[in-house]
Amino acid sequence: MSRVIKSPRGMNDLLPPESSKWLYFESACRSLFERFGYLEVRTPIVESTELFARGIGEATDIVEKEMYTFPDRKERSLTMRPEMTAGCARSYIEHAIHKREPVTRWFYTGPMFRYERMQTGRYRQFYQVGVEAFGAPEPSVDAEQIAMLYALYTQLGVTDLDVVVNSVGTGDDRQRYREALVAFLTPHRSELCEDCQRRMDTNPLRILDCKVPSCQLLVVDAPNILESLGPDSRAHFDQMRRHLDGFEIPHRVNPRVVRGLDYYTATVFEILGGSANLGTQSTLVGGGRYDTLIERLGGPPTPAMGFALGVERAILSLPGDPSEYVNAPLAYLAAHGTAARERALAIAHRLRVAGLRIEVEHREVGLKAQFKRADKLGVRYVVTLGEDELASGEVKIRDMNRRQEIAVKLRDLESALKQRAHG
Ligand code: AMP
């Protein structure tokens, strides 16, 4: 026998009924984001490697060690996207979107790829839903995105949300802070983990995000980034928080949330939650403002604000078993005898084309087995067709919940079921 082929490590199949929970979540996102004026964008899964090196930053974990990079047949270096903000920014610039409209609001959903060390809740192909707003510097845009997310998770039944906000200021603010942080950490250099010792020289802010306990302990007393903010950054942050209060979003400030990527300016935030199911991987969303990214990638100066949420974690945080998210068929057509089966198949086809979810059996099996299957599928109505029904042109619709039957003419079956589907 030949060897069984498995999916690549860290890359998973999404199977029914789990996929129904995903669909439910994704359509909740779509519907909510559209109400806030965001429209869907789709960019390629593969981009030129340079985009991520310049966009995300050479000294980030993602670019340093997590990218799936390969040469194409003409030796151009390509990378499977590890996130989508850089791709959105590239697309915004390439199509000169700023000339079409002053403010652009996009959302996206799709797979991302990072060569991660394997641990629960971390995958090498994972899915993100995210939004980007280009062209608006106002802190109200930041607060509105956070409020939109809060509404999303609340509406989906996640109750223990923890909204954490911070500001990393402008480039100058960050430079000042970087110096203060390095001065504070230098005497403790040898106590830092290996990665953080390297980060001291490349990206010291990242040390604040490090998950190694000894590093976390060290940074407890580190200088507070909010104290390095200039007056404009401070005012932006304060105003953003006032808007959050206006939207009635409970939140707290944590000056150690800086997010690892180079492109962030001003607001950064995380939303934690769903801890009952997620344990330590409870960061549901991360995001922030990136006012310099578009310019850094060769576009006009354009303020921007966005976030990305991890779909796998969102799904784990949602209450309910996946099977509860599967829409049961409206009706099951049970047939008795060959002639009735042929007729049932034709009727089922007509009803499906007319927009109804109908189950019908293709195999020659007895009525008892068909009723059992109808029950298992959780259908509300069962219609039985046998020789008598064919002769009389009348069938009975059995309501499985109420345990009642009503008789209808075969030609009225469609309208009778439609009435029940909408009733
Ligand atoms: P990031 O793009 O790193 O800011 O991550 C944003 C969100 O994406 C996180 O809060 C996670 O929910 C999710 N995420 C990031 N990396 C992974 C991964 N390797 N596997 C699963 N989810 C991830």
Side-chain angles (χ1 to χ4, degrees), residues 62 82-83 114 116 121-124 126 128 259 261 264 283-286 308-310 312-313:
I62 293 182
E83 55 95 89
R114 294 184 198 171
E116 299 254 18
R122 292 233 149 238
Y123 312 102
R124 290 181 176 172
F126 62 97
Q128 286 187 335
R259 320 257 333 123
L261 314 187
Y264 286 115
T283 308
L284 294 172
V285 197
L309 64 85
E312 286 83 357
R313 287 188 206 175

Side-chain angles (χ1 to χ4, degrees), residues 46 49 69-79:
V46 169
T49 303
T69 297
F70 57 93
D72 74 0
R73 288 172 190 277
K74 290 261 165 64
E75 294 300 319
R76 284 173 290 238
S77 181
L78 298 178
T79 293

Side-chain angles (χ1 to χ4, degrees), residues 22 39 47 74-75 105 118 130 133 143 150 156 163 202 206 242-243 249 273 312 315 332 354 356 362 387:
W22 281 58
L39 298 179
E47 297 270 4
K74 290 261 165 64
E75 294 300 319
R105 278 176 284 188
M118 296 309 296
Y150 194 84
L156 292 171
V163 179
T202 54
R206 191 70 231 247
R242 270 197 293 282
H243 287 299
I249 306 302
E312 286 83 357
I315 299 297
Y332 188 101
L356 299 172
H362 285 254
E387 271 170 32

Side-chain angles (χ1 to χ4, degrees), residues 91-194:
S91 175
Y92 179 85
I93 298 165
E94 187 170 336
H95 302 287
I97 306 291
H98 67 283
K99 291 191 183 152
R100 295 192 208 166
E101 54 192 17
V103 175
T104 296
R105 278 176 284 188
W106 284 346
F107 76 86
Y108 60 81
T109 161
M112 309 296 153
F113 302 84
R114 294 184 198 171
Y115 199 92
E116 299 254 18
R117 249 175 301 146
M118 296 309 296
Q119 43 179 311
T120 34
R122 292 233 149 238
Y123 312 102
R124 290 181 176 172
Q125 174 172 333
F126 62 97
Y127 289 75
Q128 286 187 335
V129 168
V131 316
E132 315 289 356
F134 297 106
E138 289 79 14
S140 51
V141 173
D142 313 22
E144 188 183 72
Q145 284 187 6
I146 296 172
M148 178 169 84
L149 280 163
Y150 194 84
L152 174 73
Y153 284 102
T154 309
Q155 175 191 314
L156 292 171
V158 184
T159 47
D160 60 342
L161 294 173
D162 183 15
V163 179
V164 187
V165 297
N166 190 24
S167 173
V168 293
T170 60
D172 285 349
D173 299 335
R174 258 202 324 284
Q175 187 51 34
R176 259 199 309 279
Y177 180 68
R178 202 181 150 116
E179 284 160 18
L181 184 65
V182 170
F184 169 83
L185 288 172
T186 301
H188 306 285
R189 194 179 179 115
S190 59
E191 298 158 53
L192 292 167
C193 74
E194 217 172 282

